[in-house]
Amino acid sequence: MFWNHDIECMPKEELKRLQYGSIKNLVTELYSSNAFYRHKMDSVNVGPDDIRSLSDVSKLPFMTKQEFRDNYPTKMFSVPNTDIVRYHVSSGTTGKPTLVGYTRNDLEYWTEALARSLSSIGVGEDDTLQVSYGYGLFTGGLGLHYGAERVGASVLPASTGSTERQLELMQDLDVTVIACTPSYFIHMIDVAKEMGIDFLRDTKLRKAVLGAEPWSEGMRKRIEESSGVRAYDIYGTSELAGPMFTECEERDGIHICGDIAYMEAIDPESGEVLEPGEKGELVVTMLKKEAFPLVRYRIRDLSAVCDEVCACGRSSPRISRISGRSDDMLIVRGINVFPSQIEYALMQVPQVGNQYMIQVTRDGALDNMVVQVEIRPESFSDKVEDMILLRSHIESELKKYLNLAVHVELKAPGELPRFDGKASRVKDKRSL
Ligand code: DLL
């Protein structure tokens, strides 16, 4: 199902011409009207005249999150306050928050992107969509809300928390689609089980639009097996606007609307642009943003850009599942470890449940990593020998994938924390 067929299926060359034209105009405009961008471009001796093709975009300097923080709250805005119609705030993990402002057009393109994305997974006017992302400063709730209204779905603005009530409403209103973080949906599956609710038998829920945090293919498989609901990945960041882009029915990468955003993947060390299909750090240029323009913003998320036309017919570039952030990488005893690798390894062990926590401590000069894992109720045993065997099996799986000895602690079902928004599974206590 297409929301905007002409743009979504535009021939590749035409799309590239359109992207080049938009970036050239954007850079020319910013150079003449915005001191921040002019100064940045001057610092690398690049002016609008140097951008003569799409590949010349790589000459432009990167923007970083630190610059947003340094210019908090509105010093980087490109429009007067009177043109701002909304703010959102992303708290992040460290330092000052990032404040994002939107003009009316910015909200319009955000909504358009989500309307295309939701249509591509078959969400439309026959659907009732429960938005269980937080409403408020976080972009998830309001973003999905407006996108779902645009495609004509009935929207239930449930926000987070009160899970039993959410499940009752889901039944009462024949909700067909839910949008929330994967960790919240996992929690919902557990609560539904306790309440005796079987999603396929007792609800009309068939689709889940899950994102805002990294989650693995293994986790998708488990979510689908335990709920019977088809799960789709949705991606975005508050700097882009909020949640924006999803997989289509093919589920072979997340489509990035090419007339709205231009994505590159770079080598995190050298900053060089990578070939299509090579994994690196994502860099985004937003082609239509007004309040808060983004030119070559280093998002820090790790992924690859694929430029082939998708089997669904859309020509927009796709990004592969985000495997983590370059700044999420833990260095444990000199070995680089991404939390996503730990999730990947854990999902290979059928006895392991869906909840885990990672703790890193330092004992003298030595780093220690402890992974706490909940065991599935049917695999939990009172027999100490069974549990010891299971624990060493999980430790050897982790060792195989991480090349690092990790200590595993087994936890009973329900013992580890649950999350209704973004999960926070890593506790690095070394710097405390
Ligand atoms: O999380 C926007 C959003 C809301 C996306 C709802 C999807 C659904 P921020 O709070 O600014 O915005 O956080 C953005 O979250 O840079 C990624 O590190 C992570 N992230 C978002 N979506 C995914 C995903 C929202 N599908 C940061 N897979 C991003 C992996 C994701 N990580």
Side-chain angles (χ1 to χ4, degrees):
M1 202 202 296
F2 292 94
W3 179 256
N4 191 335
H5 181 278
D6 290 351
I7 292 226
E8 291 178 69
C9 298
M10 186 179 265
K12 279 272 173 208
E13 285 313 308
E14 207 178 309
L15 179 62
K16 287 192 171 152
R17 273 200 301 279
L18 186 143
Q19 291 184 313
Y20 167 65
S22 303
I23 295 177
K24 177 89 177 174
N25 288 343
L26 176 70
V27 168
T28 309
E29 167 66 24
L30 287 176
Y31 193 80
S32 66
S33 66
N34 187 305
F36 172 82
Y37 293 93
R38 187 169 50 249
H39 176 72
K40 263 188 96 67
M41 284 162 69
D42 284 346
S43 71
V44 290
N45 248 333
V46 175
D49 291 345
D50 296 307
I51 310 304
R52 297 194 196 96
S53 68
L54 201 52
S55 54
D56 282 342
V57 171
S58 63
K59 294 179 181 165
L60 293 164
F62 295 121
M63 287 170 70
T64 64
K65 187 140 190 144
Q66 192 53 45
E67 287 170 323
F68 301 157
R69 295 200 163 120
D70 294 345
N71 289 287
Y72 179 86
T74 56
K75 277 185 247 152
M76 273 169 69
F77 283 16
S78 248
V79 296
N81 218 13
T82 44
D83 289 352
I84 301 284
V85 294
R86 171 120 48 99
Y87 294 108
H88 280 286
V89 179
S90 160
S91 55
T93 42
T94 49
K96 272 215 155 58
T98 311
L99 180 89
V100 194
Y102 305 76
T103 64
R104 203 162 293 289
N105 283 337
D106 289 337
L107 291 183
E108 175 53 35
Y109 279 108
W110 182 12
T111 304
E112 162 80 20
L114 271 170
R116 289 187 208 165
S117 298
L118 291 172
S119 298
S120 79
I121 55 173
V123 178
E125 55 191 18
D126 294 336
D127 287 295
T128 300
L129 191 147
Q130 179 163 343
V131 181
S132 301
Y133 285 113
Y135 279 67
L137 295 176
F138 178 54
T139 54
L142 284 171
L144 260 303
H145 186 108
Y146 282 92
E149 278 189 355
R150 179 63 59 88
V151 296
S154 314
V155 181
L156 177 64
S159 200
T160 55
S162 308
T163 309
E164 295 188 3
R165 176 92 185 104
Q166 296 226 14
L167 287 162
E168 282 160 14
L169 283 168
M170 181 186 284
Q171 290 179 293
D172 297 345
L173 294 172
D174 287 343
V175 167
T176 52
V177 187
I178 189 163
C180 60
T181 58
S183 22
Y184 190 46
F185 194 54
I186 290 166
H187 177 50
M188 251 185 190
I189 294 172
D190 288 347
V191 176
K193 206 165 173 194
E194 282 160 23
M195 291 168 73
I197 298 173
D198 176 316
F199 285 107
L200 288 189
R201 187 190 62 208
D202 304 320
T203 78
K204 296 267 184 315
L205 189 73
R206 297 297 174 263
K207 290 177 182 170
V209 189
L210 308 178
E213 63 184 12
W215 58 305
S216 59
E217 272 308 311
M219 192 57 94
R220 162 145 60 194
K221 200 159 160 252
R222 286 186 170 210
I223 287 173
E224 295 192 335
E225 278 168 8
S226 51
S227 65
V229 169
R230 195 165 155 84
Y232 301 86
D233 200 3
I234 180 166
Y235 175 73
T237 81
S238 29
E239 295 86 1
L240 267 66
M244 281 195 119
F245 306 122
T246 62
E247 297 171 313
C248 63
E249 280 294 2
E250 300 293 327
R251 302 198 300 183
D252 187 16
I254 294 169
H255 282 273
I256 305 295
C257 305
D259 57 321
I260 295 180
Y262 175 67
M263 280 286 184
E264 303 164 271
I266 59 159
D267 179 323
E269 301 290 321
S270 68
E272 292 295 312
V273 178
L274 298 171
E275 291 297 319
E278 283 182 342
K279 190 157 110 184
E281 212 183 280
L282 289 178
V283 170
V284 69
T285 300
M286 295 300 283
L287 307 184
K288 298 183 193 267
K289 246 165 150 264
E290 293 179 341
F292 186 38
L294 282 190
V295 178
R296 298 204 88 207
Y297 172 53
R298 281 182 80 153
I299 318 181
R300 301 263 169 210
D301 290 326
L302 300 170
S303 174
V305 179
C306 161
D307 204 26
E308 280 162 30
V309 175
C310 179
C312 73
R314 287 177 181 79
S315 55
S316 46
R318 282 166 288 153
I319 56 168
S320 60
R321 184 182 274 284
I322 308 290
S323 61
R325 297 177 55 83
S326 52
D327 46 9
D328 268 358
M329 188 179 79
L330 297 158
I331 302 180
V332 183
R333 274 178 253 148
I335 296 176
N336 300 347
V337 181
F338 285 99
S340 57
Q341 291 173 295
I342 296 180
E343 179 172 310
Y344 180 85
L346 293 177
M347 293 299 110
Q348 310 305 310
V349 184
Q351 294 93 331
V352 167
N354 295 333
Q355 304 290 346
Y356 62 94
M357 294 290 291
I358 301 163
Q359 264 186 28
V360 192
T361 52
R362 181 163 288 151
D363 187 6
L366 204 62
D367 296 327
N368 282 317
M369 183 180 259
V370 176
V371 178
Q372 299 173 311
V373 286
E374 267 186 24
I375 298 305
R376 287 196 163 166
E378 57 276 23
S379 309
F380 203 75
S381 154
D382 287 340
K383 279 207 202 141
V384 179
E385 316 85 79
D386 290 352
M387 291 294 97
I388 291 176
L389 269 179
L390 178 58
R391 192 183 67 198
S392 32
H393 173 55
I394 302 170
E395 284 175 343
S396 62
E397 279 298 295
L398 286 167
K399 174 107 201 254
K400 191 163 91 192
Y401 289 103
L402 308 179
N403 205 11
L404 176 78
V406 169
H407 182 67
V408 166
E409 280 177 14
L410 301 186
K411 297 283 176 188
E415 242 189 289
L416 291 178
R418 265 53 179 166
F419 304 95
D420 59 11
K422 289 175 191 265
S424 166
R425 299 190 192 278
V426 181
K427 301 264 174 277
D428 190 346
K429 298 184 169 165
R430 287 174 297 184
S431 51
L432 295 180

